[in-house]
Amino acid sequence: SIESEYNIDIYDDLNKSYQRSPDLVIISTPTSLHFDHIIRASNEGASIIVEKPGCVNKNQASKLSEVLKKNNTKFLVSFQRRLHPLIVKLKNILINTDDREIDNIEINVGSYVPSWHPYEDYKSLYACKKILGGGVLLTESHEIDFIIWLFGLPKTLKSSISSNKKYNLDVEDSANILLEYKNFHITINLDFMSKESKRCFQINTKTQSIYLDLESQKLVIDDLNGNTIVEKTNITNDQLFENQLSSFINNNNNLRNIDSLVKNLGIIDQCKEMNGLV
């Protein structure tokens, strides 16, 4: 059993579990349930790691921000890809690049929901049901988080989102977002009904072309002189989660993590509002 394999206790009553006064609560329920569980865990005095994106809209995020700050809760939304070695490398490159040197950034994310859990009907997954907080914007929000984490909020935003009628879902399955900053723009294309699996970044600056492919875990940097630098790594998602947990325990970026929650959900809300979905 799971209990004997991992030496854990399983409760069928949340109140009973909180009688143990947990130090840390990891919330991995469907997105629509995150809000209530975060409030409960914070009021119980526990530290919190919650699955992305943390809640379903900016209104909830703003209320959570007040509670988390009031209770001085140690808090993190689980964007484990922030700790991917190549993402860290890319972040350091961009931090040390003058914004005026960046021409444009294009991000493409594609996955195929029906293949996520082949053993069950994909239409019952939280990602595919509005009532559970589904949709590609909330589900595939890693790259939105990365951009806002790195550059802050854009000056302007445009978006186009859609749902392919043949899948008969009540959530959007693709989104195209244009973020305009002072000196450059960023396009983010999300699609979780794509047969082509991809997670890649193309950054064009006045001196370099940078391509990051997280599927193959390869970073390629070409400069104007014809020089090419290639970096590869091979880290598993399990290792990223382990690294994230260790980082969470040993560091405290609490206010920034709460700030990210509010800003990320604000961007997602804007995208939905522009397309009449809020």
Side-chain angles (χ1 to χ4, degrees):
S1 68
I2 292 176
E3 293 98 320
S4 60
E5 177 71 17
Y6 296 103
N7 190 29
I8 60 173
D9 297 321
I10 293 180
Y11 298 89
D12 57 9
D13 184 328
L14 198 58
N15 292 322
K16 290 181 180 178
S17 69
Y18 275 114
Q19 289 175 6
R20 298 288 298 272
S21 299
D23 297 307
L24 171 65
V25 171
I26 296 176
I27 300 170
S28 55
T29 52
T31 307
S32 61
L33 303 178
H34 288 176
F35 178 81
D36 289 338
H37 287 312
I38 292 172
I39 296 289
R40 174 70 185 273
S42 179
N43 287 336
E44 292 283 354
S47 297
I48 299 170
I49 297 177
V50 60
E51 274 286 353
K52 61 164 177 58
C55 56
V56 297
N57 55 48
K58 186 178 180 180
N59 183 48
Q60 284 190 353
S62 297
K63 291 178 180 177
L64 289 176
S65 175
E66 293 176 6
V67 173
L68 293 168
K69 290 176 181 178
K70 176 185 175 182
N71 293 336
N72 195 27
T73 301
K74 191 168 185 177
F75 175 79
L76 178 70
V77 180
S78 181
F79 287 109
Q80 78 280 2
R81 288 192 177 90
R82 284 184 179 187
L83 298 178
H84 192 289
L86 297 182
I87 285 286
V88 172
K89 176 75 173 180
L90 179 62
K91 176 185 173 226
N92 289 334
I93 292 172
L94 292 175
I95 283 177
N96 291 297
T97 300
D98 190 307
D99 284 1
R100 291 169 294 185
E101 292 293 309
I102 301 174
D103 289 330
N104 58 74
I105 298 174
E106 181 177 348
I107 301 171
N108 290 293
V109 177
S111 61
Y112 190 55
V113 171
S115 69
W116 288 4
H117 300 162
Y119 49 84
E120 61 182 332
D121 179 6
Y122 72 90
K123 291 186 178 181
S124 67
L125 291 175
Y126 81 94
C128 296
K129 298 178 76 69
K130 183 177 181 179
I131 196 172
L132 296 180
V136 75
L137 284 165
L138 291 169
T139 305
E140 296 284 23
S141 52
H142 281 281
E143 283 66 28
I144 294 173
D145 170 73
F146 176 72
I147 292 302
I148 305 306
W149 178 48
L150 191 59
F151 296 114
L153 293 174
K155 291 180 63 179
T156 62
L157 177 154
K158 296 178 182 177
S159 72
S160 173
I161 62 181
S162 62
S163 181
N164 193 318
K165 291 182 179 179
K166 76 175 183 178
Y167 297 114
N168 196 30
L169 303 179
D170 66 352
V171 295
E172 80 286 350
D173 57 52
S174 67
N176 307 105
I177 307 167
L178 175 63
L179 305 175
E180 293 278 1
Y181 289 86
K182 181 179 179 180
N183 296 304
F184 60 92
H185 68 270
I186 300 172
T187 56
I188 304 175
N189 303 307
L190 308 174
D191 186 350
F192 68 18
M193 283 298 181
S194 169
K195 297 291 182 68
E196 181 185 0
S197 181
K198 56 188 172 183
R199 197 163 226 118
C200 52
F201 297 72
Q202 176 66 54
I203 298 98
N204 298 312
T205 76
K206 291 182 170 49
T207 58
Q208 292 180 320
S209 171
I210 306 166
Y211 182 74
L212 171 59
D213 185 343
L214 285 177
E215 290 287 311
S216 63
Q217 302 199 60
K218 181 169 69 172
L219 176 68
V220 181
I221 305 171
D222 294 305
D223 66 21
L224 294 177
N225 298 319
N227 300 312
T228 300
I229 298 173
V230 178
E231 291 197 25
K232 295 183 180 180
T233 189
N234 186 24
I235 190 169
T236 67
N237 216 29
D238 283 349
Q239 289 173 308
L240 290 177
F241 281 119
E242 290 172 10
N243 293 345
Q244 177 179 253
L245 182 58
S246 176
S247 176
F248 177 72
I249 291 170
N250 295 308
N251 297 286
N252 192 355
N253 277 328
N254 217 36
L255 292 178
R256 188 169 187 195
N257 291 334
I258 296 171
D259 182 58
S260 290
L261 171 74
V262 177
K263 287 181 177 178
N264 290 345
L265 270 298
I267 290 292
I268 291 172
D269 274 8
Q270 284 186 61
C271 291
K272 291 184 175 183
E273 288 167 2
M274 287 181 176
N275 292 269
L277 295 184
V278 173

